[in-house]
Amino acid sequence: MSKKRLGNVWMGETCPIRQVLDRFGDKWSILIIELLSQEGKLRFSEIAQTIGDISQKMLTVTLRSLESDGLVTRRFYPEIPPRVEYELSDLGRSLVPHIEQLTGWGQAHMATIMENRRLFEAKRMEKN
């Protein structure tokens, strides 16, 4: 693509690709979206328990980011003890088919990717 045709779409914080990759380039966002798409409403502790190896702080940060982007809704119930539930918003649900396509691609090509990694590492070791 020519620079003229692209304009400044790649520049700075207004770049849509950067904005999307920033959100989904982390380890947890896609997992949380996929989990909420399958389970519906979940409490913080249920998300943490299901994912397993995510810290409380990272789960909090990720849920806040997803909420700030409008992908997840947070509902607080003033009960004793307080209850908070998370659910995908309409915008978040619209993302699910794309995540499923990416997941499907990964599953279809995982064996090839793993073999390519093995071959790459073997070549790298030969050079050393």
Side-chain angles (χ1 to χ4, degrees), residues 41-60:
K41 293 178 189 174
L42 289 175
R43 295 175 74 167
F44 185 95
S45 60
E46 293 171 321
I47 297 169
Q49 185 177 22
T50 303
I51 292 178
D53 57 344
I54 188 170
S55 70
Q56 184 174 344
K57 179 181 179 181
M58 186 52 63
L59 181 55
T60 298

Side-chain angles (χ1 to χ4, degrees), residues 53-107:
D53 57 344
I54 188 170
S55 70
Q56 184 174 344
K57 179 181 179 181
M58 186 52 63
L59 181 55
T60 298
V61 168
T62 304
L63 285 168
R64 282 185 185 155
S65 296
L66 292 170
E67 184 182 6
S68 75
D69 285 349
L71 299 170
V72 168
T73 60
R74 177 184 184 271
R75 175 170 271 165
F76 175 78
Y77 297 91
E79 304 168 345
I80 298 177
R83 179 170 51 111
V84 178
E85 290 180 339
Y86 296 89
E87 183 177 23
L88 286 180
S89 66
D90 289 341
L91 183 62
R93 281 189 288 279
S94 74
L95 183 59
V96 171
H98 304 286
I99 292 172
E100 289 173 346
Q101 285 181 333
L102 184 60
T103 302
W105 182 91
Q107 289 172 336

Side-chain angles (χ1 to χ4, degrees), residues 5-55:
R5 216 171 77 189
L6 288 175
N8 66 357
V9 71
W10 304 103
M11 303 300 224
E13 294 181 12
T14 60
C15 174
I17 293 170
R18 288 184 190 194
Q19 292 296 312
V20 170
L21 291 178
D22 182 48
R23 174 60 56 236
F24 305 113
D26 70 68
K27 186 175 180 177
W28 305 111
S29 292
I30 290 180
L31 288 176
I32 292 169
I33 291 169
E34 185 63 24
L35 175 61
L36 291 173
S37 77
Q38 292 176 12
E39 300 296 327
K41 293 178 189 174
L42 289 175
R43 295 175 74 167
F44 185 95
S45 60
E46 293 171 321
I47 297 169
Q49 185 177 22
T50 303
I51 292 178
D53 57 344
I54 188 170
S55 70

